[in-house]
Amino acid sequence: MPYYSIRDNHSNGIVGDYLNEIIEENSDLSIVSAYFTIHAYNALKSKLNQIGRLRFLFGEPTFVQNGILLDAKTREYNIVDDKISIPIENRLVQKKIAHECSQWLREKADIRSVVKPNFLHGKMYFVKEKSGIKKAIVGSSNFTVNGLGLGRNRNIELNTIIDSDRDRSELLGWFDSIWNDSTGLVEDVKDEVLKYLERLYVENSPKFLYFKTLFEIFGDYVKGQESNDLLDQESSFYDSQIWNALYDFQKDGVRGAINKIMKHNGCIIADSVGLGKTYEALAVIKYFELLNARVLVLCPKKLSNNWTI
């Protein structure tokens, strides 16, 4: 088979396969990547669990969570691969993998991060065997399942195997100069990474899960209630008789109903019997009357007198 120095996860070999070949027992690893994922660790753990030491350098101080870039003070490390690319069977054992990965990092890894954004873009995997033999590959592959070419949807990357002793020595010297920088270019982030990993495998209490469920369901609604942007346009509404006749929980319902009507052109108030749906509806009517809107009330005939009053 012809030898190729390129590993692109496509037609010129797989980066993950190459790492499986060169990582030996008690090897020391030095890695530069924008991401570290537990599923990439899991794909290589038979070799990684046998290494001597790992130096992992995050090349970016900001990390993506829910599509929002967080600054360095509040960052969340991207430790799980994009769920779209993770087979369901892997997601089911995520807690186990996270716990194993956390123990491995705690025992064998030092983790640092560059603090300056958009400063270090390269990716590097450097292996130094116990015998002193050095092997390395550099390019574009992050430490993710797809970046290493071990997933179902492999990225097409561009990586080159460094096969010159001089080039490998220069590459290790380059890594050491950044890793040991004393000017504030890098910082130790191992504790932060371990804390985030712990959240993936910790046994949460039923109370926590209950409140987490409520937050996921109603979080956006509560934020909308707090802002009250839509109600601010008619300040005299808060001085109306019907508004001041409402209890606090009814006012919350009215705010929610008005916001939904303005946003979605409709809303159903579906509180239980006796909680004041009629009064809430009257407050909604008052709000739109103050905006000079026309209001139509449709009701059963036997309730018409109530609404007329």
Side-chain angles (χ1 to χ4, degrees):
M1 179 178 178
Y3 173 80
Y4 296 102
S5 62
I6 291 178
R7 293 292 183 272
D8 64 357
N9 299 337
H10 185 56
S11 57
N12 291 286
I14 307 298
V15 175
D17 291 344
Y18 178 72
L19 293 178
N20 262 321
E21 292 173 10
I22 66 174
I23 297 175
E24 302 288 344
E25 187 176 355
N26 293 318
S27 296
D28 288 334
L29 270 65
S30 299
I31 297 176
V32 180
S33 174
Y35 302 102
F36 176 96
T37 74
I38 62 173
H39 294 286
Y41 157 77
N42 190 56
L44 296 172
K45 73 176 183 179
S46 61
K47 289 297 187 74
L48 293 177
N49 286 346
Q50 301 178 42
I51 68 168
R53 198 67 188 166
L54 166 68
R55 293 186 298 173
F56 192 96
L57 178 63
F58 280 105
E60 268 293 313
T62 52
F63 300 83
V64 178
Q65 183 185 34
N66 298 327
I68 302 173
L69 279 174
L70 304 179
D71 62 44
K73 293 182 179 179
T74 59
R75 65 177 173 237
E76 295 290 352
Y77 291 88
N78 191 340
I79 298 185
V80 260
D81 283 299
D82 181 357
K83 291 184 178 180
I84 295 176
S85 66
I86 301 176
I88 185 65
E89 62 271 18
N90 287 353
R91 297 184 218 170
L92 294 174
V93 295
Q94 178 172 293
K95 180 178 289 190
K96 177 176 179 290
I97 296 171
H99 188 258
E100 291 178 352
C101 183
S102 179
Q103 289 183 313
W104 175 72
L105 289 174
R106 194 180 303 277
E107 295 173 5
K108 297 186 180 277
D110 294 304
I111 309 173
R112 298 180 184 178
S113 173
V114 173
V115 299
K116 187 177 179 180
N118 298 315
F119 187 69
L120 178 57
H121 295 281
K123 316 298 184 293
M124 183 197 83
Y125 300 86
F126 194 102
V127 178
K128 182 179 180 181
E129 298 177 6
K130 191 175 181 180
S131 61
I133 296 175
K134 303 180 182 71
K135 297 178 181 178
I137 183 170
V138 298
S140 63
S141 285
N142 279 306
F143 193 77
T144 67
V145 170
N146 289 337
L148 299 179
L150 300 174
R152 293 179 180 177
N153 303 304
R154 299 193 299 249
N155 298 342
I156 297 180
E157 305 283 357
L158 182 58
N159 302 277
T160 303
I161 296 171
I162 308 301
D163 51 14
S164 162
D165 287 339
R166 186 194 69 180
D167 291 344
R168 283 192 289 258
S169 295
E170 289 183 357
L171 185 62
L172 184 59
W174 169 84
F175 179 90
D176 288 341
S177 67
I178 297 177
W179 183 264
N180 297 316
D181 181 85
S182 59
T183 65
L185 177 62
V186 297
E187 63 178 342
D188 190 299
V189 294
K190 181 175 180 177
D191 288 342
E192 293 178 61
V193 172
L194 291 176
K195 286 178 183 177
Y196 181 81
L197 272 173
E198 184 179 1
R199 286 157 50 188
L200 298 180
Y201 66 80
V202 68
E203 293 292 342
N204 294 301
S205 67
K207 181 179 180 180
F208 173 83
L209 295 176
Y210 172 72
F211 284 118
K212 175 65 173 174
T213 301
L214 291 179
F215 175 79
E216 293 297 330
I217 294 174
F218 299 111
D220 291 339
Y221 169 77
V222 172
K223 291 177 183 177
Q225 294 289 79
E226 291 175 348
S227 63
N228 292 330
D229 291 335
L230 296 176
L231 271 65
D232 287 343
Q233 57 186 293
E234 184 49 71
S235 58
S236 62
F237 172 66
Y238 294 111
D239 298 325
S240 65
Q241 183 177 352
I242 183 60
W243 175 259
N244 290 300
L246 298 177
Y247 293 103
D248 288 341
F249 76 89
Q250 292 171 327
K251 291 178 179 179
D252 289 338
V254 171
R255 289 192 189 98
I258 293 172
N259 283 332
K260 286 178 173 59
I261 291 170
M262 298 291 285
K263 191 172 183 180
H264 304 293
N265 296 319
C267 177
I268 296 175
I269 298 176
D271 289 336
S272 298
V273 175
L275 293 183
K277 293 186 294 296
T278 302
Y279 270 68
E280 291 177 25
L282 288 171
V284 173
I285 291 172
K286 174 58 70 174
Y287 177 82
F288 286 102
E289 282 185 338
L290 290 172
L291 294 179
N292 294 319
R294 297 181 65 188
V295 177
L296 172 65
V297 177
L298 300 175
C299 67
K301 186 175 181 179
K302 65 180 181 180
L303 297 181
S304 61
N305 287 336
N306 292 356
W307 280 97
T308 301
I309 294 172

